[in-house]
Amino acid sequence: RKEVEQDPGPFNVPEGATVAFNCTYSNSASQSFFWYRQDCRKEPKLLMSVYSSGNEDGRFTAQLNRASQYISLLIRDSKLSDSATYLCVVNGDTGGFKTIFGAGTRLFVKA
Amino acid sequence: DARVTQTPRHKVTEMGQEVTMRCQPILGHNTVFWYRQTMMQGLELLAYFRNRAPLDDSGMPKDRFSAEMPDATLATLKIQPSEPRDSAVYFCASGLDVDRMNYGYTFGSGTRLTVV
């Protein structure tokens, strides 16, 4: 099992749709969680951190479920500009503090 | 905005040549990563430094790759000799790890390497 696994993509949704991505992690000692966004031929950029209490930033909501070891990202009212690859990132603490990126989920938002 | 600076942005080289990529992390960050990204493999971790000490380079082909941080403002990744399969985008990222927590990483724009 991979240490960080994401929904396979791509997700193709119309503008205005709500879309959700899930990401599971295997290390129960993980302490920090993030979602990054990567546009085509660009570097990944931090989208938001994920806190135990859940957090929201405009149309984006991130949640963490420690018991089930998954994090989620919900995008409401999708825009064309949301088209990108979304990467789940987990910081673990087994055998040394380590950051692991998921393979990413590709999102296409269409008019 | 503070940024991670990578040079060169693009590099085309012949097989067998040495390639050196450089990264200037954000001032004050204590963690530096080197990643490689290809269409087939996604983001692969090559090397991981904290406070300039290498923590993990298990993802790096040891026979030809080497990563160093000669000082806090410079990280280097060298490939010698280069091979066509090394063609990829190489990203450097820096961040601040405090008390085994991290607050997100900033990536450089990457070096796009083509080995012919």
PDB file of all heavy atoms in Angstrom, chain A residues 32-59:
ATOM      1  N   SER A  32       1.020  16.633   9.969  1.00  0.00           N
ATOM      2  CA  SER A  32       0.676  17.820   9.176  1.00  0.00           C
ATOM      3  C   SER A  32       0.135  17.353   7.830  1.00  0.00           C
ATOM      4  O   SER A  32       0.647  16.408   7.248  1.00  0.00           O
ATOM      5  CB  SER A  32       1.902  18.703   8.934  1.00  0.00           C
ATOM      6  OG  SER A  32       2.557  18.995  10.126  1.00  0.00           O
ATOM      7  N   PHE A  33      -0.881  18.090   7.374  1.00  0.00           N
ATOM      8  CA  PHE A  33      -1.556  17.678   6.148  1.00  0.00           C
ATOM      9  C   PHE A  33      -1.838  18.914   5.298  1.00  0.00           C
ATOM     10  O   PHE A  33      -2.193  19.969   5.830  1.00  0.00           O
ATOM     11  CB  PHE A  33      -2.883  16.980   6.478  1.00  0.00           C
ATOM     12  CG  PHE A  33      -2.742  15.879   7.480  1.00  0.00           C
ATOM     13  CD1 PHE A  33      -2.808  16.142   8.839  1.00  0.00           C
ATOM     14  CD2 PHE A  33      -2.531  14.574   7.061  1.00  0.00           C
ATOM     15  CE1 PHE A  33      -2.664  15.135   9.772  1.00  0.00           C
ATOM     16  CE2 PHE A  33      -2.386  13.557   7.984  1.00  0.00           C
ATOM     17  CZ  PHE A  33      -2.453  13.831   9.340  1.00  0.00           C
ATOM     18  N   PHE A  34      -1.679  18.740   3.990  1.00  0.00           N
ATOM     19  CA  PHE A  34      -1.844  19.883   3.108  1.00  0.00           C
ATOM     20  C   PHE A  34      -2.466  19.449   1.791  1.00  0.00           C
ATOM     21  O   PHE A  34      -2.335  18.302   1.376  1.00  0.00           O
ATOM     22  CB  PHE A  34      -0.473  20.513   2.773  1.00  0.00           C
ATOM     23  CG  PHE A  34       0.353  20.859   3.979  1.00  0.00           C
ATOM     24  CD1 PHE A  34       1.274  19.966   4.475  1.00  0.00           C
ATOM     25  CD2 PHE A  34       0.209  22.093   4.594  1.00  0.00           C
ATOM     26  CE1 PHE A  34       2.044  20.278   5.596  1.00  0.00           C
ATOM     27  CE2 PHE A  34       0.976  22.413   5.706  1.00  0.00           C
ATOM     28  CZ  PHE A  34       1.890  21.497   6.203  1.00  0.00           C
ATOM     29  N   TRP A  35      -3.068  20.411   1.134  1.00  0.00           N
ATOM     30  CA  TRP A  35      -3.425  20.270  -0.274  1.00  0.00           C
ATOM     31  C   TRP A  35      -2.619  21.289  -1.068  1.00  0.00           C
ATOM     32  O   TRP A  35      -2.554  22.464  -0.705  1.00  0.00           O
ATOM     33  CB  TRP A  35      -4.923  20.509  -0.501  1.00  0.00           C
ATOM     34  CG  TRP A  35      -5.771  19.360  -0.068  1.00  0.00           C
ATOM     35  CD1 TRP A  35      -6.488  19.255   1.086  1.00  0.00           C
ATOM     36  CD2 TRP A  35      -6.011  18.153  -0.788  1.00  0.00           C
ATOM     37  NE1 TRP A  35      -7.145  18.059   1.133  1.00  0.00           N
ATOM     38  CE2 TRP A  35      -6.870  17.359  -0.008  1.00  0.00           C
ATOM     39  CE3 TRP A  35      -5.574  17.659  -2.029  1.00  0.00           C
ATOM     40  CZ2 TRP A  35      -7.313  16.104  -0.417  1.00  0.00           C
ATOM     41  CZ3 TRP A  35      -6.011  16.409  -2.432  1.00  0.00           C
ATOM     42  CH2 TRP A  35      -6.874  15.643  -1.637  1.00  0.00           C
ATOM     43  N   TYR A  36      -2.008  20.793  -2.153  1.00  0.00           N
ATOM     44  CA  TYR A  36      -1.289  21.654  -3.082  1.00  0.00           C
ATOM     45  C   TYR A  36      -2.007  21.601  -4.424  1.00  0.00           C
ATOM     46  O   TYR A  36      -2.649  20.612  -4.762  1.00  0.00           O
ATOM     47  CB  TYR A  36       0.154  21.162  -3.292  1.00  0.00           C
ATOM     48  CG  TYR A  36       1.117  21.555  -2.198  1.00  0.00           C
ATOM     49  CD1 TYR A  36       1.038  20.983  -0.937  1.00  0.00           C
ATOM     50  CD2 TYR A  36       2.109  22.498  -2.428  1.00  0.00           C
ATOM     51  CE1 TYR A  36       1.927  21.339   0.065  1.00  0.00           C
ATOM     52  CE2 TYR A  36       3.007  22.865  -1.441  1.00  0.00           C
ATOM     53  CZ  TYR A  36       2.901  22.275  -0.199  1.00  0.00           C
ATOM     54  OH  TYR A  36       3.780  22.631   0.790  1.00  0.00           O
ATOM     55  N   ARG A  37      -1.822  22.653  -5.181  1.00  0.00           N
ATOM     56  CA  ARG A  37      -2.380  22.711  -6.519  1.00  0.00           C
ATOM     57  C   ARG A  37      -1.213  22.869  -7.495  1.00  0.00           C
ATOM     58  O   ARG A  37      -0.275  23.639  -7.250  1.00  0.00           O
ATOM     59  CB  ARG A  37      -3.308  23.921  -6.612  1.00  0.00           C
ATOM     60  CG  ARG A  37      -3.755  24.226  -8.008  1.00  0.00           C
ATOM     61  CD  ARG A  37      -4.402  25.577  -8.121  1.00  0.00           C
ATOM     62  NE  ARG A  37      -4.552  25.922  -9.535  1.00  0.00           N
ATOM     63  CZ  ARG A  37      -5.683  26.336 -10.078  1.00  0.00           C
ATOM     64  NH1 ARG A  37      -6.759  26.509  -9.322  1.00  0.00           N
ATOM     65  NH2 ARG A  37      -5.739  26.615 -11.360  1.00  0.00           N
ATOM     66  N   GLN A  38      -1.279  22.133  -8.602  1.00  0.00           N
ATOM     67  CA  GLN A  38      -0.243  22.269  -9.622  1.00  0.00           C
ATOM     68  C   GLN A  38      -0.894  22.481 -10.982  1.00  0.00           C
ATOM     69  O   GLN A  38      -1.659  21.633 -11.460  1.00  0.00           O
ATOM     70  CB  GLN A  38       0.668  21.033  -9.671  1.00  0.00           C
ATOM     71  CG  GLN A  38       1.839  21.215 -10.626  1.00  0.00           C
ATOM     72  CD  GLN A  38       2.841  20.085 -10.583  1.00  0.00           C
ATOM     73  OE1 GLN A  38       2.500  18.961 -10.206  1.00  0.00           O
ATOM     74  NE2 GLN A  38       4.083  20.363 -10.951  1.00  0.00           N
ATOM     75  N   ASP A  39      -0.594  23.604 -11.586  1.00  0.00           N
ATOM     76  CA  ASP A  39      -1.048  23.878 -12.954  1.00  0.00           C
ATOM     77  C   ASP A  39      -0.055  23.265 -13.932  1.00  0.00           C
ATOM     78  O   ASP A  39       1.117  23.025 -13.602  1.00  0.00           O
ATOM     79  CB  ASP A  39      -1.159  25.385 -13.168  1.00  0.00           C
ATOM     80  CG  ASP A  39      -2.266  25.991 -12.338  1.00  0.00           C
ATOM     81  OD1 ASP A  39      -3.436  25.683 -12.624  1.00  0.00           O
ATOM     82  OD2 ASP A  39      -1.972  26.735 -11.394  1.00  0.00           O
ATOM     83  N   CYS A  40      -0.540  23.054 -15.142  1.00  0.00           N
ATOM     84  CA  CYS A  40       0.271  22.393 -16.159  1.00  0.00           C
ATOM     85  C   CYS A  40       1.593  23.128 -16.370  1.00  0.00           C
ATOM     86  O   CYS A  40       1.611  24.351 -16.554  1.00  0.00           O
ATOM     87  CB  CYS A  40      -0.531  22.324 -17.461  1.00  0.00           C
ATOM     88  SG  CYS A  40       0.237  21.305 -18.703  1.00  0.00           S
ATOM     89  N   ARG A  41       2.683  22.410 -16.268  1.00  0.00           N
ATOM     90  CA  ARG A  41       4.030  22.935 -16.517  1.00  0.00           C
ATOM     91  C   ARG A  41       4.447  24.019 -15.503  1.00  0.00           C
ATOM     92  O   ARG A  41       5.304  24.842 -15.788  1.00  0.00           O
ATOM     93  CB  ARG A  41       4.147  23.481 -17.938  1.00  0.00           C
ATOM     94  CG  ARG A  41       3.878  22.425 -19.003  1.00  0.00           C
ATOM     95  CD  ARG A  41       3.956  23.006 -20.402  1.00  0.00           C
ATOM     96  NE  ARG A  41       5.330  23.261 -20.818  1.00  0.00           N
ATOM     97  CZ  ARG A  41       6.123  22.336 -21.325  1.00  0.00           C
ATOM     98  NH1 ARG A  41       5.694  21.106 -21.480  1.00  0.00           N
ATOM     99  NH2 ARG A  41       7.359  22.640 -21.696  1.00  0.00           N
ATOM    100  N   LYS A  42       3.822  23.981 -14.347  1.00  0.00           N
ATOM    101  CA  LYS A  42       4.179  24.911 -13.280  1.00  0.00           C
ATOM    102  C   LYS A  42       4.548  24.137 -12.014  1.00  0.00           C
ATOM    103  O   LYS A  42       4.334  22.930 -11.939  1.00  0.00           O
ATOM    104  CB  LYS A  42       2.993  25.833 -12.963  1.00  0.00           C
ATOM    105  CG  LYS A  42       2.558  26.698 -14.119  1.00  0.00           C
ATOM    106  CD  LYS A  42       3.483  27.849 -14.308  1.00  0.00           C
ATOM    107  CE  LYS A  42       2.907  28.845 -15.288  1.00  0.00           C
ATOM    108  NZ  LYS A  42       3.814  29.993 -15.497  1.00  0.00           N
ATOM    109  N   GLU A  43       5.075  24.865 -11.042  1.00  0.00           N
ATOM    110  CA  GLU A  43       5.420  24.228  -9.779  1.00  0.00           C
ATOM    111  C   GLU A  43       4.178  24.057  -8.900  1.00  0.00           C
ATOM    112  O   GLU A  43       3.228  24.828  -9.009  1.00  0.00           O
ATOM    113  CB  GLU A  43       6.486  25.046  -9.033  1.00  0.00           C
ATOM    114  CG  GLU A  43       5.995  26.350  -8.443  1.00  0.00           C
ATOM    115  CD  GLU A  43       6.053  27.512  -9.413  1.00  0.00           C
ATOM    116  OE1 GLU A  43       6.064  27.290 -10.654  1.00  0.00           O
ATOM    117  OE2 GLU A  43       6.082  28.656  -8.918  1.00  0.00           O
ATOM    118  N   PRO A  44       4.190  23.073  -8.007  1.00  0.00           N
ATOM    119  CA  PRO A  44       3.085  22.944  -7.048  1.00  0.00           C
ATOM    120  C   PRO A  44       3.049  24.158  -6.122  1.00  0.00           C
ATOM    121  O   PRO A  44       4.093  24.685  -5.732  1.00  0.00           O
ATOM    122  CB  PRO A  44       3.437  21.675  -6.261  1.00  0.00           C
ATOM    123  CG  PRO A  44       4.410  20.932  -7.118  1.00  0.00           C
ATOM    124  CD  PRO A  44       5.166  21.976  -7.861  1.00  0.00           C
ATOM    125  N   LYS A  45       1.843  24.565  -5.771  1.00  0.00           N
ATOM    126  CA  LYS A  45       1.697  25.688  -4.841  1.00  0.00           C
ATOM    127  C   LYS A  45       0.756  25.278  -3.719  1.00  0.00           C
ATOM    128  O   LYS A  45      -0.242  24.591  -3.957  1.00  0.00           O
ATOM    129  CB  LYS A  45       1.142  26.921  -5.562  1.00  0.00           C
ATOM    130  CG  LYS A  45       2.129  27.497  -6.557  1.00  0.00           C
ATOM    131  CD  LYS A  45       1.647  28.782  -7.159  1.00  0.00           C
ATOM    132  CE  LYS A  45       2.712  29.344  -8.102  1.00  0.00           C
ATOM    133  NZ  LYS A  45       2.275  30.563  -8.783  1.00  0.00           N
ATOM    134  N   LEU A  46       1.091  25.734  -2.527  1.00  0.00           N
ATOM    135  CA  LEU A  46       0.276  25.401  -1.364  1.00  0.00           C
ATOM    136  C   LEU A  46      -1.110  26.002  -1.519  1.00  0.00           C
ATOM    137  O   LEU A  46      -1.268  27.209  -1.717  1.00  0.00           O
ATOM    138  CB  LEU A  46       0.949  25.931  -0.098  1.00  0.00           C
ATOM    139  CG  LEU A  46       0.218  25.671   1.212  1.00  0.00           C
ATOM    140  CD1 LEU A  46       0.104  24.182   1.489  1.00  0.00           C
ATOM    141  CD2 LEU A  46       0.939  26.379   2.365  1.00  0.00           C
ATOM    142  N   LEU A  47      -2.116  25.141  -1.437  1.00  0.00           N
ATOM    143  CA  LEU A  47      -3.501  25.596  -1.527  1.00  0.00           C
ATOM    144  C   LEU A  47      -4.042  25.869  -0.127  1.00  0.00           C
ATOM    145  O   LEU A  47      -4.539  26.947   0.168  1.00  0.00           O
ATOM    146  CB  LEU A  47      -4.346  24.536  -2.236  1.00  0.00           C
ATOM    147  CG  LEU A  47      -5.832  24.812  -2.406  1.00  0.00           C
ATOM    148  CD1 LEU A  47      -6.051  26.024  -3.296  1.00  0.00           C
ATOM    149  CD2 LEU A  47      -6.541  23.592  -2.974  1.00  0.00           C
ATOM    150  N   MET A  48      -3.934  24.859   0.737  1.00  0.00           N
ATOM    151  CA  MET A  48      -4.371  25.058   2.109  1.00  0.00           C
ATOM    152  C   MET A  48      -3.850  23.957   2.999  1.00  0.00           C
ATOM    153  O   MET A  48      -3.577  22.843   2.552  1.00  0.00           O
ATOM    154  CB  MET A  48      -5.897  25.149   2.211  1.00  0.00           C
ATOM    155  CG  MET A  48      -6.670  23.987   1.658  1.00  0.00           C
ATOM    156  SD  MET A  48      -8.412  24.397   1.320  1.00  0.00           S
ATOM    157  CE  MET A  48      -8.985  25.036   2.890  1.00  0.00           C
ATOM    158  N   SER A  49      -3.685  24.293   4.261  1.00  0.00           N
ATOM    159  CA  SER A  49      -3.367  23.302   5.282  1.00  0.00           C
ATOM    160  C   SER A  49      -4.679  22.644   5.704  1.00  0.00           C
ATOM    161  O   SER A  49      -5.759  23.179   5.472  1.00  0.00           O
ATOM    162  CB  SER A  49      -2.715  23.975   6.478  1.00  0.00           C
ATOM    163  OG  SER A  49      -1.546  24.667   6.081  1.00  0.00           O
ATOM    164  N   VAL A  50      -4.551  21.491   6.311  1.00  0.00           N
ATOM    165  CA  VAL A  50      -5.743  20.762   6.749  1.00  0.00           C
ATOM    166  C   VAL A  50      -5.639  20.568   8.247  1.00  0.00           C
ATOM    167  O   VAL A  50      -4.673  19.969   8.745  1.00  0.00           O
ATOM    168  CB  VAL A  50      -5.849  19.379   6.059  1.00  0.00           C
ATOM    169  CG1 VAL A  50      -7.187  18.733   6.398  1.00  0.00           C
ATOM    170  CG2 VAL A  50      -5.682  19.505   4.561  1.00  0.00           C
ATOM    171  N   TYR A  51      -6.625  21.050   8.976  1.00  0.00           N
ATOM    172  CA  TYR A  51      -6.603  20.964  10.428  1.00  0.00           C
ATOM    173  C   TYR A  51      -7.650  19.975  10.908  1.00  0.00           C
ATOM    174  O   TYR A  51      -8.633  19.690  10.220  1.00  0.00           O
ATOM    175  CB  TYR A  51      -6.866  22.347  11.045  1.00  0.00           C
ATOM    176  CG  TYR A  51      -5.902  23.401  10.568  1.00  0.00           C
ATOM    177  CD1 TYR A  51      -6.342  24.526   9.883  1.00  0.00           C
ATOM    178  CD2 TYR A  51      -4.527  23.262  10.790  1.00  0.00           C
ATOM    179  CE1 TYR A  51      -5.451  25.477   9.434  1.00  0.00           C
ATOM    180  CE2 TYR A  51      -3.638  24.213  10.340  1.00  0.00           C
ATOM    181  CZ  TYR A  51      -4.100  25.319   9.668  1.00  0.00           C
ATOM    182  OH  TYR A  51      -3.223  26.262   9.222  1.00  0.00           O
ATOM    183  N   SER A  52      -7.442  19.498  12.113  1.00  0.00           N
ATOM    184  CA  SER A  52      -8.365  18.502  12.673  1.00  0.00           C
ATOM    185  C   SER A  52      -9.799  19.012  12.721  1.00  0.00           C
ATOM    186  O   SER A  52     -10.745  18.244  12.552  1.00  0.00           O
ATOM    187  CB  SER A  52      -7.921  18.114  14.083  1.00  0.00           C
ATOM    188  OG  SER A  52      -6.669  17.484  14.048  1.00  0.00           O
ATOM    189  N   SER A  53      -9.941  20.302  12.930  1.00  0.00           N
ATOM    190  CA  SER A  53     -11.280  20.879  13.055  1.00  0.00           C
ATOM    191  C   SER A  53     -11.886  21.186  11.687  1.00  0.00           C
ATOM    192  O   SER A  53     -13.022  21.642  11.593  1.00  0.00           O
ATOM    193  CB  SER A  53     -11.194  22.164  13.871  1.00  0.00           C
ATOM    194  OG  SER A  53     -10.240  23.031  13.306  1.00  0.00           O
ATOM    195  N   GLY A  54     -11.108  20.940  10.625  1.00  0.00           N
ATOM    196  CA  GLY A  54     -11.589  21.302   9.296  1.00  0.00           C
ATOM    197  C   GLY A  54     -11.362  22.775   9.060  1.00  0.00           C
ATOM    198  O   GLY A  54     -11.329  23.568  10.008  1.00  0.00           O
ATOM    199  N   ASN A  55     -11.173  23.152   7.837  1.00  0.00           N
ATOM    200  CA  ASN A  55     -11.004  24.570   7.550  1.00  0.00           C
ATOM    201  C   ASN A  55     -11.524  24.902   6.159  1.00  0.00           C
ATOM    202  O   ASN A  55     -11.603  24.042   5.288  1.00  0.00           O
ATOM    203  CB  ASN A  55      -9.546  25.016   7.716  1.00  0.00           C
ATOM    204  CG  ASN A  55      -8.556  24.115   7.028  1.00  0.00           C
ATOM    205  OD1 ASN A  55      -8.542  22.922   7.274  1.00  0.00           O
ATOM    206  ND2 ASN A  55      -7.720  24.685   6.188  1.00  0.00           N
ATOM    207  N   GLU A  56     -11.902  26.162   6.032  1.00  0.00           N
ATOM    208  CA  GLU A  56     -12.554  26.621   4.818  1.00  0.00           C
ATOM    209  C   GLU A  56     -11.861  27.877   4.320  1.00  0.00           C
ATOM    210  O   GLU A  56     -11.453  28.734   5.108  1.00  0.00           O
ATOM    211  CB  GLU A  56     -14.025  26.918   5.147  1.00  0.00           C
ATOM    212  CG  GLU A  56     -14.908  27.189   3.956  1.00  0.00           C
ATOM    213  CD  GLU A  56     -16.378  27.297   4.352  1.00  0.00           C
ATOM    214  OE1 GLU A  56     -16.871  26.390   5.045  1.00  0.00           O
ATOM    215  OE2 GLU A  56     -16.988  28.300   3.991  1.00  0.00           O
ATOM    216  N   ASP A  57     -11.746  27.975   3.015  1.00  0.00           N
ATOM    217  CA  ASP A  57     -11.171  29.179   2.408  1.00  0.00           C
ATOM    218  C   ASP A  57     -11.973  29.464   1.152  1.00  0.00           C
ATOM    219  O   ASP A  57     -11.722  28.866   0.097  1.00  0.00           O
ATOM    220  CB  ASP A  57      -9.693  28.953   2.082  1.00  0.00           C
ATOM    221  CG  ASP A  57      -9.035  30.200   1.520  1.00  0.00           C
ATOM    222  OD1 ASP A  57      -9.701  31.256   1.427  1.00  0.00           O
ATOM    223  OD2 ASP A  57      -7.844  30.129   1.152  1.00  0.00           O
ATOM    224  N   GLY A  58     -12.968  30.314   1.293  1.00  0.00           N
ATOM    225  CA  GLY A  58     -13.821  30.619   0.151  1.00  0.00           C
ATOM    226  C   GLY A  58     -14.588  29.397  -0.306  1.00  0.00           C
ATOM    227  O   GLY A  58     -15.327  28.785   0.475  1.00  0.00           O
ATOM    228  N   ARG A  59     -14.379  28.991  -1.541  1.00  0.00           N
ATOM    229  CA  ARG A  59     -15.103  27.844  -2.090  1.00  0.00           C
ATOM    230  C   ARG A  59     -14.462  26.504  -1.723  1.00  0.00           C
ATOM    231  O   ARG A  59     -14.983  25.458  -2.111  1.00  0.00           O
ATOM    232  CB  ARG A  59     -15.156  27.992  -3.616  1.00  0.00           C
ATOM    233  CG  ARG A  59     -15.884  29.224  -4.095  1.00  0.00           C
ATOM    234  CD  ARG A  59     -15.911  29.324  -5.625  1.00  0.00           C
ATOM    235  NE  ARG A  59     -14.593  29.525  -6.200  1.00  0.00           N
ATOM    236  CZ  ARG A  59     -13.909  28.588  -6.870  1.00  0.00           C
ATOM    237  NH1 ARG A  59     -14.429  27.381  -7.055  1.00  0.00           N
ATOM    238  NH2 ARG A  59     -12.722  28.864  -7.374  1.00  0.00           N
TER     239      ARG A  59
END
